[in-house]
Amino acid sequence: MSDSRDKIVTALLSGILFAWFIGHLIGETLFDNDWSFSFLGAGTLFGWVIQLVIAISISYLLLCHGKTVNRLSDSRKYIYSGLGSIFLLTIILQFDSILFGGGTLRVAQISQAPILLFKWYEFGTVVIAGSLYKFFSLFMSNTNDAAGLAWRVLAYGSTIASLIAVAKISARLSDNAKERIYLFLIIFFGPQTILYFGFVGVEPLIVALTLWVAFYIIKIRDERTIFNIVMLWLLAIFATTMHFTGAYLVPAVLYVTFVKPESNRISKVLWASISGGLIVLMIYIAYQYMNESLLFRQLLMPLEGRHPNTDYSLMSMRHISDVFQIFWLLAPIGIMAKFVSWFMKKQNSPNYLMIPIFLMATAGSVVVVILNPVQSVILEFPRYAAYLTPFALFFATGLIGMAVSSESRLRILEVAAAFSILLPLLYMPAVIDTTRASEIAVSYFDKHEAFNLNGRIALRDASFYNKEFDEASAWEVSLMAKSVDYLEFRGCVDLTVAGRDNEALTELRRLIVRNPDWIDPRDVVATVLLRRGQYELAKPQIDTSLLLNELGWQARINLSDYYHQAGQTAKSLISIEEALEIWPMDVEFMREQMLMVYRLKLYDQADSISNAMIAINADLPHPYLVKAYLAEINKDFVEAINQYERFMVLDPKNPTVNSVLERVSQIKKTIGT
């Protein structure tokens, strides 16, 4: 191949970058669904200047002072200093992923209850994050802060693991110290770059595991041992236990297990086909399970539109447009990777690594297509970056495998490294700047009413988490102004308070039809029906609410009430005890348990619970009422009167006050006072 080939690669990369830049400048004027085109620039003139200066400086250093960079690669001291500097940069430029990717939901997942409820499809991640949370909560009184720190420690631990993995991959791909620097930059600053900055969620861990799987694939190419193959499978299994999407690595692992670099073409084609078939099989299994699990259904893109997004499904134009924008924003490098793959095939230069990494890229692309954005794609697009990591690997392995002179290869790698670093620098400032990110999100919600509810709730909760209470209140007000459904819901709550249950139930049922995954209307419907004694009608709403959220406090209160009204006292008590395992200090459930065991004549247990409640809060009225009952049973009438009077002082408007007064009067007559 001619050394002038590096000019073709440079021209192609420059063309892609130019198209990307122009596309983001004019995209908002050309397309209606244009959310990704809003992330170019930091939102202010000053931000633009700083951003461009940094981008141009780095590109200039790589392209015009390559020899200086090359000299740095010869010193381990400079290499370690560089790795440390990169990690420090990810901490300094930490962005508010509490807002992005369902961060508030992740924090609530491990901070809402002392006992974690594990779901099989993300078991490992919750175990790790939950363990870190338990540790940090020993020193931090605010549970949300402890949970947020736990997720960020997991994220930065994953970033360190990614740094090490990429350094090892670069060392394996090339013996040339100069090339390693550029390979490192190309791979590390791939589509997944946005996840290195303290992202709250499982995705940084998926990135780290993807890179380590890639490292062992490369290592097996050079050292095919049982130990390396076992380690590869353990990593793939570990990734799957962290989150079900980690299974996207398995097809590539299967291929490497049975295909050697020296295997014949038939064997390679056979196992590539089997691995590709496995991707299809996994998609089929996931969608079959989706039909059986209401909770799992929220994670996958539906085959047909459902409320409130009736026009949003797997094959809908809006979803296809969103997928295209995810790739165009995060992974335009994939276009170049495809060119490299085509060129290598044309020059008949076989590369053992290309097929397994291509399988990883294909499976990752499938995950991007089938994952369902719960709060809206505008707030969750960073999650998808994890599954685009193989594109950077594919690009790097393709470049290093091109049959060119060492000088041309180094020049190509310089250009590719500059390209890889430049892209994140162009769109990430708008993500790190939360004010700008919120503006972009609101613009999207105004165009897509169906996401207004979940999206603005996410913005409100993120403000609460960050202790920006004025902003949180503003988002709450905007919910009622911008989300018709939320406004109707608040109106329904007011109707129930006013006793206009029939009107409220009619509107609430309409809300449930329009928003089947929204829990709050279901809880209110169940509460109203139970209050009216229609417990059988309430049960479906209670069950559905608990399926959607196992930590639903109101749903568990309603479940206990249902069993009580249905005459199933034992089940009612069991449901209360299960809730108390989750919330051991919850006085509402303790009150229900206390009254229940009293009715069952378990007097010692009732007295013990009343004492525990008073220890938590001495101003709670019901423990004194039960103590009065128990004192009467024990013929301690003076104590009974004292406890009754304390109950009435603490809760003078309680409906039972009149009967308590009569009871006190009778006791006084009995004892002659």
Side-chain angles (χ1 to χ4, degrees):
M1 175 178 167
S2 170
D3 286 356
S4 63
R5 188 64 67 179
D6 66 319
K7 296 180 181 179
I8 297 177
V9 175
T10 302
L12 282 168
L13 284 170
S14 301
I16 293 169
L17 181 61
F18 180 76
W20 188 91
F21 189 82
I22 295 300
H24 282 77
L25 285 179
I26 66 174
E28 289 185 271
T29 61
L30 295 179
F31 306 103
D32 179 53
N33 186 27
D34 55 8
W35 60 267
S36 71
F37 302 115
S38 304
F39 284 95
L40 186 61
T44 65
L45 180 60
F46 178 75
W48 262 98
V49 172
I50 295 297
Q51 180 180 347
L52 288 175
V53 166
I54 293 174
I56 293 170
S57 298
I58 292 177
S59 301
Y60 179 77
L61 175 66
L62 290 174
L63 297 177
C64 301
H65 290 274
K67 292 181 179 179
T68 302
V69 176
N70 296 340
R71 282 197 296 271
L72 295 179
S73 68
D74 294 329
S75 171
R76 284 187 176 274
K77 179 179 69 175
Y78 288 124
I79 291 174
Y80 293 144
S81 297
L83 293 176
S85 299
I86 291 172
F87 180 68
L88 183 62
L89 189 65
T90 65
I91 296 177
I92 294 173
L93 296 179
Q94 179 183 124
F95 79 98
D96 189 10
S97 60
I98 290 298
L99 172 60
F100 290 95
T104 52
L105 301 179
R106 286 296 186 185
V107 168
Q109 184 179 20
I110 62 174
S111 68
Q112 277 189 352
I115 294 179
L116 296 174
L117 298 179
F118 301 104
K119 304 176 181 68
W120 68 266
Y121 52 81
E122 56 182 12
F123 177 83
T125 305
V126 177
V127 168
I128 295 174
S131 300
L132 289 170
Y133 164 72
K134 292 289 187 183
F135 174 74
F136 291 127
S137 61
L138 296 175
F139 314 102
M140 302 173 70
S141 58
N142 189 305
T143 56
N144 284 337
D145 289 345
L149 181 59
W151 281 110
R152 293 198 189 280
V153 168
L154 176 61
Y156 281 116
S158 300
T159 298
I160 293 172
S162 297
L163 273 168
I164 296 171
V166 176
K168 285 180 169 289
I169 289 171
S170 304
R172 284 275 173 179
L173 286 176
S174 176
D175 295 328
N176 187 313
K178 300 173 183 178
E179 292 180 351
R180 290 175 181 177
I181 293 291
Y182 298 114
L183 287 169
F184 175 89
L185 295 174
I186 292 167
I187 298 171
F188 188 77
F189 292 102
Q192 75 280 6
T193 304
I194 195 172
L195 298 173
Y196 295 139
F197 297 82
F199 188 84
V200 173
V202 65
E203 288 74 19
L205 189 55
I206 293 294
V207 171
L209 290 169
T210 297
L211 292 169
W212 276 100
V213 165
F215 166 70
Y216 271 95
I217 287 175
I218 298 169
K219 191 175 182 181
I220 287 171
R221 177 198 64 178
D222 304 327
E223 304 170 21
R224 192 175 185 83
T225 65
I226 296 297
F227 175 81
N228 287 338
I229 292 175
V230 170
M231 282 298 299
L232 184 62
W233 275 103
L234 287 176
L235 283 167
I237 293 169
F238 183 64
T240 305
T241 59
M242 291 300 101
H243 194 267
F244 79 101
T245 54
Y248 93 98
L249 299 169
V250 172
V253 172
L254 179 68
Y255 176 87
V256 172
T257 302
F258 292 99
V259 177
K260 303 176 183 179
E262 63 272 17
S263 297
N264 58 45
R265 183 180 178 84
I266 294 176
S267 177
K268 290 179 179 179
V269 171
L270 174 64
W271 283 106
S273 301
I274 292 173
S275 299
L278 180 60
I279 296 174
V280 176
L281 178 62
M282 288 193 295
I283 297 170
Y284 175 78
I285 292 173
Y287 272 91
Q288 284 297 112
Y289 185 75
M290 183 183 77
N291 295 329
E292 301 174 9
S293 171
L294 188 61
L295 190 60
F296 191 71
R297 187 186 70 175
Q298 298 177 74
L299 303 176
L300 297 183
M301 185 61 59
L303 297 176
E304 296 179 355
R306 59 172 180 252
H307 291 292
N309 300 302
T310 53
D311 64 336
Y312 202 59
S313 61
L314 188 64
M315 299 306 295
S316 68
M317 286 306 300
R318 191 150 66 88
H319 174 56
I320 293 171
S321 171
D322 283 346
V323 170
F324 170 79
Q325 290 184 81
I326 289 170
F327 278 93
W328 186 239
L329 177 65
L330 299 174
I333 199 173
I335 300 172
M336 195 62 207
K338 182 63 180 175
F339 165 77
V340 171
S341 172
W342 168 82
F343 186 78
M344 289 189 63
K345 182 178 180 181
K346 183 177 179 181
Q347 69 179 20
N348 195 27
S349 176
N351 187 335
Y352 172 74
L353 300 176
M354 294 299 281
I355 294 179
I357 293 178
F358 176 77
L359 287 168
M360 290 169 65
T362 302
S365 300
V366 169
V367 174
V368 170
V369 172
I370 68 174
L371 270 188
N372 183 36
V374 176
Q375 293 180 328
S376 77
V377 69
I378 193 74
L379 293 181
E380 298 193 31
F381 78 90
R383 293 175 53 213
Y384 298 96
Y387 309 100
L388 300 177
T389 306
F391 280 93
L393 292 161
F394 192 73
F395 188 32
T397 53
L399 290 175
I400 202 66
M402 294 180 74
V404 295
S405 68
S406 58
E407 183 179 345
S408 289
R409 182 183 295 110
L410 196 60
R411 186 63 179 172
I412 289 171
L413 291 174
E414 288 174 0
V415 175
F419 179 84
S420 298
I421 293 176
L422 191 58
L423 280 176
L425 283 173
L426 288 173
Y427 73 81
M428 278 197 60
V431 180
I432 295 172
D433 181 354
T434 54
T435 301
R436 173 63 175 155
S438 299
E439 291 173 357
I440 295 170
V442 168
S443 175
Y444 179 83
F445 299 147
D446 288 342
K447 292 181 180 179
H448 304 285
E449 166 64 26
F451 285 111
N452 239 324
L453 181 65
N454 286 338
R456 289 178 185 271
I457 287 175
L459 289 163
R460 180 199 65 187
D461 292 347
S463 296
F464 272 124
Y465 174 85
N466 292 322
K467 300 179 178 60
E468 298 168 347
F469 301 115
D470 290 340
E471 289 83 351
S473 299
W475 287 120
E476 178 75 18
V477 172
S478 78
L479 264 170
M480 291 184 280
K482 294 292 186 178
S483 174
V484 175
D485 288 342
Y486 189 81
L487 181 61
E488 287 187 13
F489 171 71
R490 296 304 308 171
C492 290
V493 172
D494 292 340
L495 287 173
T496 62
V497 172
R500 297 163 62 181
D501 291 348
N502 289 332
E503 296 173 64
L505 288 172
T506 300
E507 293 302 320
L508 285 167
R509 288 181 175 122
R510 289 174 182 166
L511 283 176
I512 290 171
V513 170
R514 292 201 300 268
N515 304 274
D517 296 333
W518 190 14
I519 296 170
D520 293 351
R522 295 183 183 275
D523 288 340
V524 175
V525 167
T527 301
V528 171
L529 291 173
L530 288 168
R531 189 173 66 207
R532 294 168 57 151
Q534 298 173 296
Y535 58 88
E536 290 296 345
L537 295 177
K539 188 61 161 55
Q541 301 296 348
I542 297 170
D543 290 343
T544 305
S545 185
L546 286 172
L547 281 171
L548 292 169
N549 181 18
E550 293 174 279
L551 291 175
W553 185 90
Q554 187 60 52
R556 288 185 176 272
I557 283 284
N558 289 340
L559 182 64
S560 170
D561 195 6
Y562 163 78
Y563 284 129
H564 175 64
Q565 291 191 31
Q568 301 178 46
T569 305
K571 285 188 175 182
S572 180
L573 185 57
I574 290 171
S575 69
I576 292 171
E577 290 171 348
E578 289 176 348
L580 284 169
E581 288 180 2
I582 303 172
W583 301 285
M585 306 293 284
D586 189 284
V587 292
E588 186 69 23
F589 284 111
M590 293 177 74
R591 181 180 71 85
E592 293 296 320
Q593 184 188 36
M594 177 183 65
L595 295 174
M596 189 75 66
V597 296
Y598 172 78
R599 296 188 193 104
L600 294 173
K601 298 183 179 181
L602 301 173
Y603 299 136
D604 289 341
Q605 190 175 346
D607 187 51
S608 176
I609 296 171
S610 67
N611 289 331
M613 291 181 68
I614 291 170
I616 294 171
N617 185 351
D619 293 331
L620 295 171
H622 282 87
Y624 300 108
L625 182 62
V626 170
K627 279 187 168 295
Y629 292 156
L630 295 174
E632 262 200 273
I633 292 171
N634 293 325
K635 307 298 183 183
D636 189 349
F637 297 116
V638 174
E639 176 67 13
I641 291 173
N642 290 336
Q643 299 294 356
Y644 278 132
E645 289 178 344
R646 189 172 299 180
F647 165 74
M648 290 186 288
V649 169
L650 291 172
D651 194 4
K653 296 182 179 181
N654 192 289
T656 63
V657 165
N658 290 333
S659 62
V660 168
L661 282 171
E662 292 178 7
R663 189 63 193 152
V664 169
S665 178
Q666 290 178 1
I667 292 174
K668 288 181 177 180
K669 289 179 182 179
T670 301
I671 63 176
T673 59

